[in-house]
Amino acid sequence: MQTKIKQSVISGIIATTVMSLLMMLGGAMGMPKMSPPDMLTGMMGVPVAIGWALHFIIGILFAASYIFLFSHWLNKISNRAIRGAVFGIIAFIVAQISFPIMGAMFGNAAMPQPQGSPALMMIGSVMGHIVFGMVVVLTIRPASSFTKQILR
């Protein structure tokens, strides 16, 4: 159990870092600027450092959801990169459902207004979440490693 928690934290931090860097590079290459920490900051009325912390906590929770909930179901997909892409799409869908709920809970009057094409923002978000899912799956040890470690 402790190994799964540790893997959730490590893979969540790595995947969130990669996704955040991808978002920053995308903005520099002409994609619409997307910043979940800024969105969280505006929505909740907290300092930007808290927005970044929440962004990473959410990433860790998504990684934990893969390890504890989705890995057994998605292990039917033998290719780890494709498994990660499928998980990334699941994470994207959950984020799309969760964000309006959070906005309703905290009020989203101060949330930054989207700048740029909504279609490009959606494509960028899907791509970011797919990369996130792939990094999560590729950075955790396969389930058989967990079993071997518990049996030692």
Side-chain angles (χ1 to χ4, degrees):
M1 182 66 75
Q2 183 180 15
T3 303
K4 287 184 178 185
I5 293 170
K6 191 183 306 182
Q7 285 292 305
S8 298
V9 172
I10 293 168
S11 64
I13 289 171
I14 294 169
T16 303
T17 299
V18 170
M19 182 180 178
S20 298
L21 289 172
L22 183 67
M23 287 186 306
M24 289 176 196
L25 290 173
M29 294 187 298
M31 290 290 286
K33 182 181 182 276
M34 292 184 287
S35 176
D38 288 342
M39 291 178 195
L40 291 166
T41 295
M43 183 187 312
M44 299 175 74
V46 296
V48 71
I50 302 294
W52 275 103
L54 290 170
H55 179 54
F56 275 89
I57 290 168
I58 291 167
I60 291 167
L61 291 173
F62 270 118
S65 75
Y66 173 77
I67 291 171
F68 288 99
L69 300 174
F70 292 103
S71 64
H72 300 296
W73 177 63
L74 292 175
N75 275 340
K76 294 175 180 146
I77 302 170
S78 59
N79 184 300
R80 292 178 76 195
I82 294 173
R83 188 181 324 146
V86 171
F87 174 66
I89 292 169
I90 292 168
F92 168 78
I93 292 167
V94 170
Q96 297 308 302
I97 293 168
S98 301
F99 215 73
I101 294 169
M102 287 176 60
M105 286 172 45
F106 294 104
N108 52 10
M111 200 158 113
Q113 294 303 311
Q115 297 176 352
S117 164
L120 281 179
M121 289 187 73
M122 188 67 67
I123 290 168
S125 184
V126 170
M127 288 172 43
H129 283 90
I130 287 173
V131 168
F132 173 85
M134 292 172 74
V135 173
V136 165
V137 171
L138 295 172
T139 56
I140 64 164
R141 283 182 265 155
S144 61
S145 296
F146 292 131
T147 307
K148 288 176 186 172
Q149 189 163 9
I150 290 171
L151 295 175
R152 284 189 216 186

